[in-house]
Amino acid sequence: MTEPLRPPPPARLRPFADNPARWDAERAYALQESRIAADTAPSSAADEPYLVHERTGWGWLAWTVPADGGMPEQPHQIGVLPPSATWADRLAARWLTRRPAGRMALHATSRGSLRYSAVVVAVIGCFAAVDAIARGVPLGIAVPVALLAAPLLADHLPDRLDMRARRRVRIVQGAAATGYLQRLAVLQTGLLKAASGTDRYEVRRSAEIGQQLLWDAADLLQTQDTRSVSPQLIAGEKLMLQLAHQVAQILTPATGDNTPGGNHATTPVPATIPCPAGARTTTRPLPHHTPPPPPQKGIFPMPQPDPGQAVPNVYLLFAHEPYYPAPAREINTTVVSADSLLHPRLPQPDGARIHALLTHARQQGEIVPLSTLTHELDGGSRWKEVGDWEAVTESLLQLVRDRDCDALSLGLPELSRALLCAAPHTEVRAVGPIYGPTDRTEVLAQVGRQLAWAEAGFPLWPGDNLLPPVNCADAS
């Protein structure tokens, strides 16, 4: 029921967008040497077209110069560095993106050639051989080593080093593969640029995840065609778009709005709210939050938990008066970890008693709307036995806006919000259709998927100095 994400298509990369003079110089050199490409194939006698390598923070792009001397539409080759690239990985990338070696033909009609470096080594070898012979080295040893072994080594050693360097990176070629990977590269370039200009954990983490997605996509495209792995590629691109949208939502309010909570995203993509430095240092699989199936119609069970049955990783969803961290960005619904109810800034013991009801007799990863608790408490008549939910949620929202805990902040459409504010089996009437429990479950499922994207493998941080939980029997 939430509105789907429809981001604009990523812009195409252009060669050396930040340094046009570099591209002009490379293009002039290629045209001068007649090393141009037509339909990605070399037009000269060279075995390969002249490649202009552009190194980036995530890898490199290799461009060809079109026959008309214009701008290429897409790269001839894309190389991707591994996540958390080491010094050796970056050295391998620099080696592979060096300027192509010049070669000298052995004969005008021959296809054989030698690198200029091999010719230089051979000339030096001549002088070395003469010197060695003068020093008493046998002629049969000095001449072959100086004039044959050294030039051959100089000619073939770079190829051996190329093979070793390629094992450390992922290189993709072909129109279909590079066309797809180019879209991801545009997004990852933006993520890295955003991460370089801020010390925000969420932004840096998004760039790390983006590098992993780019690496995985390059790994797939290096060995398989785009059609056979299209489901994996589509899933990766969706997640990359989510990350880019999330970072944009985090950073834009920070530059144009001083309202607390400006790092919260609007629907459909939530922002990850800050966590303590160093609290999240490992990569774990993305969690899947699946809402529980609705109970059978006509059955309204009251939770009868045992004190030892507290369930971890439960989330509270509550609607509230909308606020606007940035112009035209409405936040009207918030999801927090249930443990945030134990924060000392909340009215206590009311928050702890609500926490006890929220975390017992649930499913791990369940998102529980506040309206569900109201339904379970005899339609709200028993709230006075538990605590002041209005004061607790008001303080909890302020806690979120002060960035003292993580939250998933949403700007839900009116109908979706109405369904989540209603009891599990209540029907919501709109103009024409009637929406019921199935639609409510669908909204919760979509919120659960958004929560999984926002967490990026790390549960929401509930805050510091939390109080101990209370016995559920004391909360009833």
Side-chain angles (χ1 to χ4, degrees), residues 420-439:
L420 294 181
C421 290
H425 303 288
T426 301
E427 293 182 340
V428 175
R429 295 180 178 271
V431 178
I434 299 176
Y435 299 89
T438 301
D439 302 291

Side-chain angles (χ1 to χ4, degrees), residues 175-195:
T178 56
Y180 170 79
L181 205 61
Q182 184 182 12
R183 298 200 299 272
L184 293 188
V186 172
L187 297 171
Q188 180 60 10
T189 299
L191 291 176
L192 289 176
K193 185 176 294 185

Side-chain angles (χ1 to χ4, degrees), residues 293-451:
Q296 297 180 0
K297 187 175 181 179
I299 301 178
F300 306 104
M302 287 291 294
Q304 300 294 332
D306 182 83
Q309 293 180 343
V311 178
N313 297 333
V314 177
Y315 301 85
L316 172 67
L317 180 149
F318 62 98
H320 48 76
E321 288 296 321
Y323 66 93
Y324 301 86
R329 291 179 182 168
E330 176 181 315
I331 302 297
N332 56 34
T333 307
T334 299
V335 180
V336 296
S337 169
D339 289 346
S340 294
L341 290 164
L342 302 175
H343 200 283
R345 284 184 50 188
L346 271 59
Q348 301 294 354
D350 296 28
R353 291 166 66 87
I354 297 174
H355 172 271
L357 292 177
L358 188 68
T359 57
H360 286 71
R362 307 292 177 189
Q363 297 183 6
Q364 188 168 355
E366 182 176 350
I367 301 174
V368 183
L370 184 66
S371 61
T372 298
L373 292 182
T374 299
H375 167 71
E376 294 172 346
L377 293 172
D378 293 342
S381 62
R382 293 178 54 202
W383 267 120
K384 59 181 178 294
E385 303 172 14
V386 179
D388 187 347
W389 65 267
E390 291 180 301
V392 169
T393 54
E394 182 179 349
S395 299
L396 189 56
L397 180 60
Q398 189 60 49
L399 192 72
V400 170
R401 299 188 65 178
D402 290 344
R403 304 178 182 178
D404 286 332
C405 72
D406 282 2
L408 168 62
S409 300
L410 302 167
L412 294 181
E414 183 178 355
L415 179 58
S416 299
R417 191 164 178 262
L419 286 167
L420 294 181
C421 290
H425 303 288
T426 301
E427 293 182 340
V428 175
R429 295 180 178 271
V431 178
I434 299 176
Y435 299 89
T438 301
D439 302 291
R440 186 177 189 267
T441 300
E442 180 185 347
V443 173
L444 277 175
Q446 293 191 25
V447 172
R449 288 191 290 270
Q450 294 185 26
L451 180 59

Side-chain angles (χ1 to χ4, degrees), residues 94-383:
R94 291 189 69 88
W95 172 260
L96 292 171
T97 56
R98 68 194 186 279
R99 184 181 289 274
R103 303 188 72 90
M104 176 183 293
L106 296 179
H107 191 271
T109 59
S110 173
R111 295 181 61 85
S113 63
L114 284 175
R115 284 186 172 90
Y116 288 128
S117 58
V119 176
V120 172
V121 170
V123 172
I124 296 174
C126 291
F127 292 98
V130 172
D131 183 67
I133 294 172
R135 293 175 181 272
V137 178
L139 184 66
I141 296 177
V143 173
V145 170
L147 300 183
L148 184 63
L152 289 178
L153 180 64
D155 195 61
H156 291 284
L157 182 59
D159 294 333
R160 293 288 183 179
L161 294 177
D162 284 350
M163 292 177 59
R164 295 182 65 87
R166 285 174 180 270
R167 298 173 187 171
R168 293 184 170 273
V169 297
R170 296 289 180 265
I171 300 176
V172 173
Q173 294 188 154
T178 56
Y180 170 79
L181 205 61
Q182 184 182 12
R183 298 200 299 272
L184 293 188
V186 172
L187 297 171
Q188 180 60 10
T189 299
L191 291 176
L192 289 176
K193 185 176 294 185
S196 66
T198 181
D199 59 354
R200 295 284 294 275
Y201 170 83
E202 316 92 286
V203 179
R204 297 198 311 271
R205 178 60 182 156
S206 296
E208 292 172 3
I209 298 172
Q211 186 68 29
Q212 181 68 58
L213 292 171
L214 194 63
W215 173 262
D216 292 341
D219 189 45
L220 290 172
L221 293 169
Q222 191 178 42
T223 57
Q224 303 181 60
D225 62 274
T226 53
R227 289 188 178 182
S228 61
V229 293
S230 57
Q232 299 95 310
L233 296 177
I234 291 172
E237 186 171 2
K238 284 183 178 179
L239 180 52
M240 185 74 89
L241 286 167
Q242 296 274 9
L243 292 173
H245 189 73
Q246 171 178 300
V247 168
Q249 295 290 341
I250 292 172
L251 296 182
T252 302
T255 59
D257 183 73
N258 295 323
T259 305
N263 59 324
H264 303 322
T266 57
T267 190
V269 183
T272 304
I273 312 305
C275 65
R280 302 175 178 180
T281 56
T282 58
T283 301
R284 293 177 289 182
L286 290 175
H288 298 282
H289 305 282
T290 304
Q296 297 180 0
K297 187 175 181 179
I299 301 178
F300 306 104
M302 287 291 294
Q304 300 294 332
D306 182 83
Q309 293 180 343
V311 178
N313 297 333
V314 177
Y315 301 85
L316 172 67
L317 180 149
F318 62 98
H320 48 76
E321 288 296 321
Y323 66 93
Y324 301 86
R329 291 179 182 168
E330 176 181 315
I331 302 297
N332 56 34
T333 307
T334 299
V335 180
V336 296
S337 169
D339 289 346
S340 294
L341 290 164
L342 302 175
H343 200 283
R345 284 184 50 188
L346 271 59
Q348 301 294 354
D350 296 28
R353 291 166 66 87
I354 297 174
H355 172 271
L357 292 177
L358 188 68
T359 57
H360 286 71
R362 307 292 177 189
Q363 297 183 6
Q364 188 168 355
E366 182 176 350
I367 301 174
V368 183
L370 184 66
S371 61
T372 298
L373 292 182
T374 299
H375 167 71
E376 294 172 346
L377 293 172
D378 293 342
S381 62
R382 293 178 54 202
W383 267 120

